[in-house]
């Protein structure tokens, strides 16, 4: 990207929306040069802070004319480099200032602008007796726009799924600056082709999501937390598959292996039991039925050799939740290098996946704490290494590829929720070619050409 085009674009955008919204000071550019993946730092050409649709429209009009790349950004918590401006001279479009939230209990939705965080949206709903179910562990910083663009999931996914399950309508702005409204904030409407899904998981490569109307859910009368501790990892996996197979629907069904438990205890100081694995499950519902469901879930864990404890004590429940929520932060503090995986496998293959992961860990001799939303078949193996040791770096990269391959071989996917960014591009392409084939790739490339003919939206991500 030639500096002249960028300079022209910055001046014109400044004229249209106000110079104070355009940042070019080195310290500002530095702050937007990486995301939570921390794999690569690239200094952008400029930052534009969007406060309104008009701001976004102006940026996408000018950038499209001048062929300047635009990287939409929410909280910058992507774990796959999706919000890193990998092409020099890019504009990072910060949506955080667009953060209005309106809860409409009568019609069963919350309207949230792209920059509102997932936690703020959840809290706004809770103040009215409802909640917003998707719950990424990063919910304090992850924004609605970023979560939709990544189709984020989270700890309540076992019952409530991922972001796409909650969208009634959204507004997007595409290159050239046109605003498109898709869907209506009613519980049913005639869809035609589902264009909402086109933008969900698109990682900012097709347009900018500015706001969404999202379904909300009544707060459960009662939540009970069940902890199962296992002396064999595969027994924990068996319990999870079996709980789902019997048709029990816990709100949360999380797995932590021994290496994760040890790191969380050491780094975060939580008191956790000793064991090869822990399963953490929440069940929710009316008081009359919730203890029955808790007993059923607990029963399956016991049948599979688990020692269990069931609690509705708020402090005890909070500690266990925080231990799981903080697992990734603990791992990254404990090890100087971490390659985070995000594979999914069919529930019937969960035990096979855990066994194969354990074999890989032994084969390569690297630490690999595994935790994840296992009730969705979603596992996060964290491959830990010393970045100053060439042999460990090589082994870690090889393991990363093999973990992705094992997921595909078992009928799963290389990413369940963290997306592709640039970190998983190669693995993703291999998965698509081997599973979905060229026809799928061709169709998506055509869609990209229609919406973003000049390729300005987040280049270098997914397969664009
Ligand atoms: C500690 C930790 C825990 C995490 N736990 C989870 C988890 O449990 N579940 C999970 O799914 N993820 C998790 N993540 C990953 C990450 O938080 C999610 O992907 C999140 O949805 C990203 O939101 P964000 O606002 O930070 O997006 P960003 O990182 O800012 O952007 C992510 C992608 O979305 C695009 N984008 C951002 N805003 C928009 C917009 N308005 N319009 C169009 N495109 C946009 C960006 O261009 C980029 O491609 C975790 C991350 C961390 C650091």
């Amino acid at each position: 990207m030639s500096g002249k085009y960028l300079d022209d674009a910055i001046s014109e955008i400044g004229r249209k929306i106000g110079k104070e919204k355009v940042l070019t000071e080195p310290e500002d550019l530095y702050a937007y040069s990486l995301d939570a993946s921390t794999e690569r730092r690239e200094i952008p050409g400029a930052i534009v802070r969007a406060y309104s649709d008009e701001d976004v429209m102006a940026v996408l009009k000018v950038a499209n004319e001048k062929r300047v790349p635009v990287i939409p950004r929410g909280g910058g918590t992507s774990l796959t480099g999706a919000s890193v401006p990998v092409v020099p001279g890019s504009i990072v479009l910060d949506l955080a200032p667009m953060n209005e939230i309106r809860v409409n209990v009568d019609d069963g939705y919350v309207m949230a602008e792209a920059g509102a965080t997932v936690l703020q949206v959840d809290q706004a709903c809770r103040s009215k007796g409802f909640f917003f179910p998707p719950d990424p562990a990063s919910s304090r910083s992850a924004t609605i726009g970023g979560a939709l663009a990544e189709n984020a999931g989270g700890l309540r996914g076992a019952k409530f799924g991922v972001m796409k399950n909650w969208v009634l309508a959204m507004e997007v702005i595409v290159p050239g600056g046109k605003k498109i409204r898709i869907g209506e904030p009613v519980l049913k409407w005639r869809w035609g082709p589902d264009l909402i899904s086109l933008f969900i998981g698109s990682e900012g490569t097709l347009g900018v999501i500015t706001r969404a109307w999202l379904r909300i859910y009544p707060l459960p009368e009662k939540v009970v937390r069940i902890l199962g501790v296992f002396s064999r990892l595969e027994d924990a996996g068996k319990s999870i598959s079996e709980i789902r197979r019997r048709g029990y629907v816990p709100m949360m069904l999380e797995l932590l292996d021994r290496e994760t438990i040890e790191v969380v205890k050491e780094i975060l100081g939580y008191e956790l039991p000793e064991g090869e694995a822990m399963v953490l499950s929440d069940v929710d519902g009316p008081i009359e039925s919730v203890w029955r469901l808790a007993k059923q879930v607990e029963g399956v864990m016991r049948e599979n050799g688990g020692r269990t404890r069931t609690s509705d004590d708020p402090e005890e429940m909070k500690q266990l939740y925080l231990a799981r929520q903080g697992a990734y932060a603990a791992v990254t503090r404990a090890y100087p290098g971490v390659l985070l995986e995000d594979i999914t496998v069919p529930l019937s293959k969960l035990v096979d996946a855990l066994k194969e992961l354990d074999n890989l860990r032994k084969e390569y001799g690297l630490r690999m704490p595994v935790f994840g939303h296992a009730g969705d078949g979603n596992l996060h193996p964290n491959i830990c290494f010393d970045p100053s040791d060439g042999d460990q770096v090589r082994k870690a990269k090889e393991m990363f590829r093999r973990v992705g391959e094992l997921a595909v071989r078992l009928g799963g996917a290389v990413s369940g929720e963290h997306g592709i960014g640039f970190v998983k591009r190669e693995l993703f392409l291999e998965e698509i070619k081997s599973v979905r084939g060229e026809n799928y790739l061709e169709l998506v490339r055509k869609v990209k050409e229609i919406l973003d003919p000049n390729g300005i939206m987040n280049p270098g991500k997914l397969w664009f």
Side-chain angles (χ1 to χ4, degrees):
M1 168 59 45
S2 133
K4 176 167 176 348
Y5 289 112
L6 175 67
D7 292 346
D8 287 353
I10 293 172
S11 313
E12 199 173 330
I13 291 167
R15 266 199 308 279
K16 283 182 180 236
I17 67 172
K19 284 198 183 87
E20 69 289 352
K21 294 178 189 165
V22 183
L23 313 179
T24 51
E25 292 300 321
E27 60 272 24
D28 294 321
L29 301 181
Y30 191 76
Y32 287 82
S33 62
L34 85 174
D35 60 18
S37 66
T38 65
E39 289 226 0
R40 182 166 166 189
R41 185 184 280 284
E42 294 290 344
I43 304 291
I47 315 300
V48 178
R49 303 204 76 215
Y51 289 78
S52 66
D53 286 5
E54 288 67 33
D55 292 352
V56 178
M57 285 152 88
V59 170
L60 291 200
K61 184 165 192 318
V62 175
N64 195 46
E65 281 162 11
K66 312 273 183 210
R67 312 288 199 261
V68 175
V70 175
I71 290 76
R73 183 176 172 110
T77 66
S78 164
L79 291 166
T80 56
S83 38
V84 177
V86 292
V87 175
S90 298
I91 293 175
V92 171
L93 181 59
D94 181 3
L95 278 301
M98 290 181 69
N99 56 11
E100 190 190 340
I101 300 170
R102 268 187 281 120
V103 185
N104 181 337
V105 169
D106 292 342
D107 295 324
Y109 67 79
V110 54
M111 188 295 297
E113 284 191 329
T117 69
V118 177
L119 186 63
Q120 285 165 347
V121 170
D122 187 36
Q123 283 170 341
C125 298
R126 277 172 196 266
S127 67
K128 309 221 167 178
F130 284 72
F131 74 114
F132 182 60
D135 179 31
S138 52
S139 63
R140 255 187 230 112
S141 314
T143 61
I144 288 296
L148 288 166
E150 293 286 5
N151 196 14
L155 277 74
R156 295 193 280 255
K159 179 166 179 177
F160 295 112
V162 290
M163 286 298 285
K164 83 167 186 188
N165 306 120
W166 296 89
V167 189
L168 296 170
M170 70 166 54
E171 279 178 3
V172 295
I173 295 173
V174 293
K178 270 196 191 141
K179 178 152 84 172
I180 304 172
R181 163 83 171 248
I182 318 169
E184 289 306 326
V186 288
L187 298 182
K188 250 181 167 179
W189 62 283
R190 181 68 175 84
W191 288 84
D194 180 4
L195 296 185
I196 288 181
S197 289
L198 200 58
F199 288 90
I200 293 176
S202 66
E203 302 193 11
T205 61
L206 299 180
V208 176
I209 299 161
T210 48
R211 59 184 56 72
W213 287 260
L214 305 158
R215 284 194 299 131
I216 57 179
Y217 202 80
L219 275 171
E221 202 174 306
K222 180 96 189 147
V223 180
V224 173
R225 193 151 290 166
I226 305 141
L227 169 67
V229 183
F230 296 81
S231 41
R232 287 178 359 132
L233 178 60
E234 54 192 272
D235 291 342
K238 262 190 219 155
S239 298
I240 290 170
S241 306
E242 187 59 19
I243 288 166
R244 300 298 306 254
R245 211 188 61 78
R246 288 197 197 168
Y248 306 144
V249 188
M251 172 157 72
M252 179 168 91
L253 200 48
E254 296 285 315
L255 174 86
L256 292 85
D257 75 349
R258 179 178 46 76
E259 287 191 2
T260 308
I261 299 170
E262 284 170 3
V263 170
V264 168
K265 277 163 96 167
E266 189 190 320
I267 303 289
L268 304 180
Y270 292 120
E271 280 183 28
L272 297 176
E274 307 263 311
E276 279 302 307
M278 247 170 72
V279 174
L280 203 52
S281 182
D282 275 5
V283 295
D284 68 303
I287 289 177
E288 312 84 63
S289 61
V290 75
W291 289 103
R292 192 169 137 251
L293 181 55
K295 276 208 166 9
Q296 287 167 328
V297 168
E298 203 180 357
V300 177
M301 292 187 191
R302 287 201 179 156
E303 281 167 34
N304 286 286
R307 287 173 283 133
T308 59
R309 184 172 162 74
T310 298
S311 173
D312 64 347
D313 173 59
E315 195 43 43
E316 191 176 343
M317 287 173 73
K318 188 171 157 201
Q319 293 287 312
L320 286 172
Y321 185 85
L322 291 177
R324 166 59 191 93
Q325 196 188 37
Y328 177 63
V331 172
T332 51
R333 273 164 60 187
Y335 297 98
V338 178
L339 290 182
L340 172 61
E341 276 286 6
D342 170 39
I343 58 169
T344 55
V345 292
L347 284 172
S348 60
K349 294 288 190 312
L350 194 57
V351 173
D352 295 341
L354 291 170
K355 279 189 200 155
E356 289 207 33
L357 288 172
D358 208 30
N359 290 340
L360 277 178
R361 178 164 30 202
K362 286 177 189 139
E363 183 183 332
Y364 284 91
L366 292 181
R367 302 278 269 174
M368 186 172 64
V370 178
F371 53 83
H373 318 300
D376 303 341
N378 187 191
L379 297 171
H380 298 316
N382 291 256
I383 304 162
C384 303
F385 61 100
D386 177 355
S388 65
D389 179 332
D391 189 44
Q392 284 201 20
V393 173
R394 182 190 56 74
K395 281 183 178 168
K397 285 189 175 157
E398 213 174 293
M399 262 175 107
F400 187 74
R401 186 176 46 75
R402 288 187 60 188
V403 170
E405 284 169 358
L406 92 79
V408 177
R409 184 162 30 83
L410 292 175
V414 298
S415 172
E417 55 176 25
H418 295 166
I420 307 303
F422 69 82
V423 171
K424 288 233 172 103
R425 267 165 75 97
E426 271 174 45
L427 273 174
F428 187 51
L429 265 175
E430 275 175 38
E431 174 193 319
I432 287 186
K433 282 186 179 148
S434 70
V435 183
R436 286 176 247 174
E438 276 297 331
N439 292 347
Y440 176 79
L441 272 180
E442 193 189 321
L443 179 64
V444 183
R445 283 202 185 105
K446 282 189 176 148
V447 171
K448 169 79 171 171
E449 269 167 39
I450 292 169
L451 287 169
D452 182 20
N454 297 324
I456 63 160
M457 294 305 304
N458 207 1
K461 312 296 164 54
L462 291 172
W463 56 86
F464 303 124

